[in-house]
Amino acid sequence: MLGTFLIVFIGFCSAYGAYTQWGTGWGIATGIVFMLVGWVILGLLLRRASMAKQLKIQQIMEDGQNKVNRQVDMFSRRPQSSMNGVRPIIEKIQRDATLRALEATDDFKSLYKWSPMLKKQIASMKVQLYFQLKDNKMVDELLPQAMMLDPQTVAVKMVRMYRTNDAGLDKFYKRIIRRFRGDTRAFIACVYAWMKLKKDDTKSALDALLNAKKLSDHQVLLDNIEHLVNGKVKHFSNSGFNEMWYALMLEEPKMKPQRRGGRMF
């Protein structure tokens, strides 16, 4: 808001100065040019300021993932280990990293006055972080403020509507899916189809997938269409989307059984 006011003020002053010197036409043209230049400069400055803060959050999450990977690697080296033993350790690492990332989002507050849209972007980020913490109260509170431009944020909103039996899920999906193309469209369509199958609505699930196919050829989408067309509903799977799918916590990732050491007698 402050940025908009400042740019308009500069544009007005420059336009007035040019008007007094060269007339109305030059005044209008000069004002427009100064405002355009102002928007470009403000955008570049905001991008530079926010990039460092985004990299900080990204680094926090990457550090957490690296710690998780090390724990999984240690687990895989112990044939007699149980996943139940390492799971609490992994969950604590992930929770700690998410909490640190949430804390780091406060660094953006000083930039909100310059760009109202930035606040919506950070709200979208916080929605996903609180969702990982299973803090549904904060997720529901932030969703109306979030931008529905990221497929993961859209999917989180769909999950919350599905979990709360919100009757507006179908209407929301049909409206939001128009914004996406390619792999993101396939992902959102497959998430929605999974929900419809859980409601025993195979027709709506297949219709959604076929519609998404018009603008996407993602393999998971094509495979799921084939399964439903052939009546193999139990073969429907979104596991091919990997972490994007499992981050929604609708299904648990399947762990590959560990080979046990020792000799057979």
Side-chain angles (χ1 to χ4, degrees):
M1 189 66 69
L2 181 59
T4 302
F5 173 79
L6 183 60
I7 290 172
V8 171
F9 178 74
I10 292 174
F12 175 80
C13 291
S14 62
Y16 181 76
Y19 163 74
T20 59
Q21 293 293 322
W22 304 304
T24 304
W26 279 104
I28 295 173
T30 301
I32 292 175
V33 169
F34 269 75
M35 283 194 289
L36 290 175
V37 171
W39 280 117
V40 172
I41 293 175
L42 179 62
L44 291 173
L45 291 175
L46 283 174
R47 181 179 177 85
R48 183 175 181 179
S50 63
M51 184 62 69
K53 303 179 190 302
Q54 291 177 12
L55 288 175
K56 178 182 176 181
I57 294 175
Q58 183 178 339
Q59 189 61 54
I60 290 172
M61 299 305 292
E62 286 180 356
D63 289 345
Q65 187 58 50
N66 289 336
K67 291 180 180 179
V68 168
N69 291 340
R70 285 196 292 271
Q71 288 294 328
V72 172
D73 184 60
M74 290 173 59
F75 164 74
S76 64
R77 295 172 184 273
R78 301 174 182 173
Q80 302 300 326
S81 299
S82 169
M83 187 59 192
N84 293 330
V86 76
R87 190 184 298 275
I89 300 174
I90 292 176
E91 290 177 350
K92 184 179 186 306
I93 293 172
Q94 292 174 329
R95 179 177 178 81
D96 289 345
T98 304
L99 288 172
R100 291 199 304 274
L102 273 171
E103 185 178 353
T105 60
D106 290 340
D107 295 345
F108 288 91
K109 288 182 178 179
S110 61
L111 302 178
Y112 290 167
K113 59 186 176 183
W114 297 101
S115 174
M117 295 302 293
L118 180 61
K119 187 174 183 178
K120 289 182 172 292
Q121 293 174 8
I122 301 306
S124 301
M125 184 187 301
K126 293 171 74 172
V127 161
Q128 296 181 40
L129 293 172
Y130 276 115
F131 185 78
Q132 295 305 309
L133 293 173
K134 301 181 181 180
D135 189 339
N136 293 329
K137 181 179 179 181
M138 285 302 301
V139 170
D140 294 341
E141 183 179 320
L142 286 167
L143 273 172
Q145 307 170 35
M147 296 177 67
M148 292 294 144
L149 299 177
D150 177 82
Q152 205 70 22
T153 305
V154 171
V156 167
K157 181 173 177 63
M158 289 170 57
V159 170
R160 291 301 302 140
M161 297 179 82
Y162 169 75
R163 293 293 192 195
T164 57
N165 294 314
D166 191 325
L169 174 59
D170 295 337
K171 185 177 180 180
F172 171 76
Y173 170 77
K174 291 176 182 177
R175 183 180 76 252
I176 206 72
I177 194 64
R178 300 170 188 168
R179 302 180 185 179
F180 297 92
R181 302 288 186 275
D183 293 354
T184 54
R185 185 182 183 94
F187 172 66
I188 295 172
C190 286
V191 171
Y192 176 75
W194 183 93
M195 295 174 179
K196 301 310 293 183
L197 290 176
K198 290 298 179 181
K199 300 290 185 180
D200 294 322
D201 189 352
T202 305
K203 182 181 183 304
S204 294
L206 181 57
D207 287 345
L209 297 181
L210 290 173
N211 183 265
K213 184 184 176 184
K214 297 176 183 177
L215 295 171
S216 174
D217 59 355
H218 194 284
Q219 193 59 49
V220 174
L221 174 68
L222 300 179
D223 289 344
N224 282 334
I225 289 175
E226 183 179 355
H227 294 323
L228 296 189
V229 167
N230 293 322
K232 300 178 180 179
V233 177
K234 292 184 178 179
H235 288 78
F236 181 97
S237 174
N238 289 335
S239 61
F241 291 110
N242 300 315
E243 186 56 31
M244 285 184 69
W245 168 245
Y246 292 118
L248 299 177
M249 294 179 280
L250 292 172
E251 286 183 342
E252 287 286 336
K254 293 183 173 69
M255 296 297 297
K256 294 182 179 180
Q258 302 295 320
R259 294 182 61 186
R260 295 187 177 275
R263 296 166 61 183
M264 298 293 290
F265 293 97

